[in-house]
Amino acid sequence: MDQDSHCTAETELLEAVSRITTSSTTSPSDEEVNRPKAEISCQVRKENPEKEDTQDSSTTLSPNSSMTTKELQEYWRNEKRQCKQIKLLFEIPSTRIVEHHLSKYVMYKIIILQTGSFDSNKSVIERRYSDFEKLHRNLLEEFSEEMEDVTFPKKTLTGNFTEEIINERKLAFKDYLRLLYSMKYIRRSKKFIDFLTRPELQEAYSCLRGGQYTKALEILLEVIGLQERLTRGNPVSVVPTLCAIVVCHKDLDNPASAFEYGEKALSRLCVHTSHRYYIPLLETMITLAYELGKDFLSLQEKLEEWKTKKDPIRVFTLKELAVREYVQ
């Protein structure tokens, strides 16, 4: 919400309080009786509105005219929280130097925070200079015009591990990520999203294929939040990760948790019944629902309906699909 909207809303609040105070000492007219005493609306102004980047602000809510000043102030605070845009911030608070056999490099700790939230909804990842460099090259191939004025920290022949150089790069990479995220087409691009999520997903699926379900689940639960926030305009893209979480919970004998994440995945596929995960997920959900004593008939009906419309084809199980993800 910009400063002008802020001021307008504050003025409306003061006027609303004034009307309520006046109504206690004067008799209202017929027109005033039929009109809400205070109407506070919250609108978000943007140069380029993006439907998936803002919450629905089309509904105007009106507080009850009998509210006290304190209640109106609390109402206004809640309205601001609801209308606040959800964006991501990037911080690089620390680094560590890694020495592996004959190689030596710096790992940058990146914390990705969600604005407008006071919970612990943050993600922590690590990337090295060569990861940033690869991202930059890949983005230049696809977004040459957008990247025209984006600068990238250059390599130095010496001094790469000095405190001065490392601190300079920490600031440079933080600004670099913020700038990339500010550009709509880049932040939505697969290359940018892969940079922030792919290494962790690859590790998780490797653990899953090796039967290390507890470790795989731990990583997947860490990355799914970030993945969802990065792909808000494309909810279907997180279905494989949600299904991998289902597989892990199921193999760890946590059917209730598996069913919970399965429902999330199914909700994203309700209009994408041709998706490769749809039928394997339905079959798994039927099994879980039966085990948990839940309604499985509606799921069975969906499965039968799909089978009558599609030609019989070989369908992998949910686990077979999951282990095939991120295979090098």
Side-chain angles (χ1 to χ4, degrees), residues 245-307:
I245 293 174
V246 171
V247 169
C248 290
H249 273 306
K250 189 172 183 295
D251 280 16
L252 290 169
D253 294 322
N254 300 326
S257 296
F259 192 84
E260 176 189 348
Y261 280 92
E263 285 187 314
K264 291 181 181 180
L266 267 183
S267 69
R268 288 159 170 79
L269 294 179
C270 58
V271 293
H272 300 278
T273 57
S274 296
H275 195 281
R276 70 187 190 281
Y277 271 89
Y278 182 68
I279 293 305
L281 179 59
L282 263 183
E283 292 174 337
T284 300
M285 290 294 284
I286 291 169
T287 302
L288 290 169
Y290 182 80
E291 182 179 348
L292 293 167
K294 294 179 179 289
D295 171 33
F296 63 89
L297 293 178
S298 59
L299 296 169
Q300 187 72 46
E301 287 173 2
K302 289 180 181 179
L303 181 61
E304 296 302 326
E305 180 185 357
W306 186 91
K307 287 181 177 179

Side-chain angles (χ1 to χ4, degrees), residues 55-71:
Q55 297 182 3
D56 184 12
S57 59
S58 61
T59 304
T60 302
L61 301 175
S62 299
N64 191 294
S65 61
S66 63
M67 284 182 176
T68 63
T69 302
K70 184 177 180 181
E71 288 171 335

Side-chain angles (χ1 to χ4, degrees), residues 99-117:
E99 295 190 51
H100 184 67
H101 297 304
L102 298 177
S103 64
K104 183 179 179 181
Y105 52 88
V106 179
M107 293 294 288
Y108 296 85
K109 181 180 180 180
I110 306 168
I111 297 180
I112 305 161
L113 303 164
Q114 179 174 304
T115 63
S117 176

Side-chain angles (χ1 to χ4, degrees), residues 207-224:
C207 292
L208 192 156
R209 285 190 290 273
Q212 298 175 281
Y213 302 114
T214 300
K215 186 176 180 181
L217 182 60
E218 181 183 339
I219 300 171
L220 290 168
L221 291 175
E222 282 284 331
V223 77
I224 186 63

Side-chain angles (χ1 to χ4, degrees), residues 12-262:
E12 291 177 353
L13 177 58
L14 292 174
E15 290 175 353
V17 174
S18 176
R19 288 198 296 272
I20 292 171
T21 305
T22 304
S23 68
S24 65
T25 57
T26 62
S27 299
S29 64
D30 291 340
E31 182 183 355
E32 288 172 332
V33 168
N34 297 322
R35 185 179 62 193
K37 295 294 182 182
E39 292 186 353
I40 302 175
S41 65
C42 183
Q43 297 178 343
V44 178
R45 277 197 339 197
K46 299 173 67 179
E47 290 183 6
N48 296 306
E50 298 168 30
K51 181 177 178 182
E52 72 279 5
D53 285 342
T54 61
Q55 297 182 3
D56 184 12
S57 59
S58 61
T59 304
T60 302
L61 301 175
S62 299
N64 191 294
S65 61
S66 63
M67 284 182 176
T68 63
T69 302
K70 184 177 180 181
E71 288 171 335
L72 276 169
Q73 289 172 341
E74 180 61 28
Y75 173 87
W76 170 237
R77 280 194 290 269
N78 289 334
E79 282 293 284
K80 286 198 293 185
R81 280 196 290 268
Q82 291 173 5
C83 296
K84 189 171 288 185
Q85 300 173 40
I86 296 178
K87 291 188 176 181
L88 300 182
L89 297 176
F90 299 86
E91 299 292 340
I92 304 181
S94 61
T95 61
R96 64 187 178 95
I97 297 175
V98 178
E99 295 190 51
H100 184 67
H101 297 304
L102 298 177
S103 64
K104 183 179 179 181
Y105 52 88
V106 179
M107 293 294 288
Y108 296 85
K109 181 180 180 180
I110 306 168
I111 297 180
I112 305 161
L113 303 164
Q114 179 174 304
T115 63
S117 176
F118 295 99
D119 60 14
S120 58
N121 196 10
K122 66 180 181 180
S123 301
V124 181
I125 60 176
E126 283 189 317
R127 298 293 183 267
R128 54 188 291 188
Y129 181 95
S130 59
D131 296 324
F132 281 98
E133 191 176 38
K134 181 180 178 181
L135 169 66
H136 193 69
R137 286 198 309 268
N138 289 339
L139 291 177
L140 282 174
E141 292 175 1
E142 189 175 350
F143 305 102
S144 55
E145 285 190 29
E146 291 87 343
M147 299 288 291
E148 196 172 45
D149 298 322
V150 178
T151 58
F152 186 82
K154 293 182 179 180
K155 277 186 177 179
T156 58
L157 295 176
T158 59
N160 285 307
F161 302 102
T162 64
E163 185 176 352
E164 181 182 1
I165 293 295
I166 291 174
N167 286 334
E168 284 180 4
R169 285 183 176 172
K170 274 169 53 179
L171 294 173
F173 283 141
K174 181 177 74 171
D175 291 339
Y176 177 73
L177 289 174
R178 286 180 174 180
L179 181 57
L180 293 182
Y181 184 77
S182 71
M183 292 185 271
K184 180 174 66 176
Y185 295 109
I186 289 181
R187 72 167 172 264
R188 291 176 176 176
S189 71
K190 185 178 184 300
K191 292 175 180 178
F192 182 69
I193 294 170
D194 278 354
F195 168 78
L196 296 171
T197 61
R198 190 178 180 90
E200 286 72 26
L201 287 171
Q202 285 177 322
E203 182 184 1
Y205 279 98
S206 177
C207 292
L208 192 156
R209 285 190 290 273
Q212 298 175 281
Y213 302 114
T214 300
K215 186 176 180 181
L217 182 60
E218 181 183 339
I219 300 171
L220 290 168
L221 291 175
E222 282 284 331
V223 77
I224 186 63
L226 175 59
Q227 198 178 17
E228 286 179 324
R229 281 174 277 157
L230 288 167
T231 60
R232 293 178 66 218
N234 182 20
V236 176
S237 63
V238 301
V239 166
T241 306
L242 288 171
C243 288
I245 293 174
V246 171
V247 169
C248 290
H249 273 306
K250 189 172 183 295
D251 280 16
L252 290 169
D253 294 322
N254 300 326
S257 296
F259 192 84
E260 176 189 348
Y261 280 92

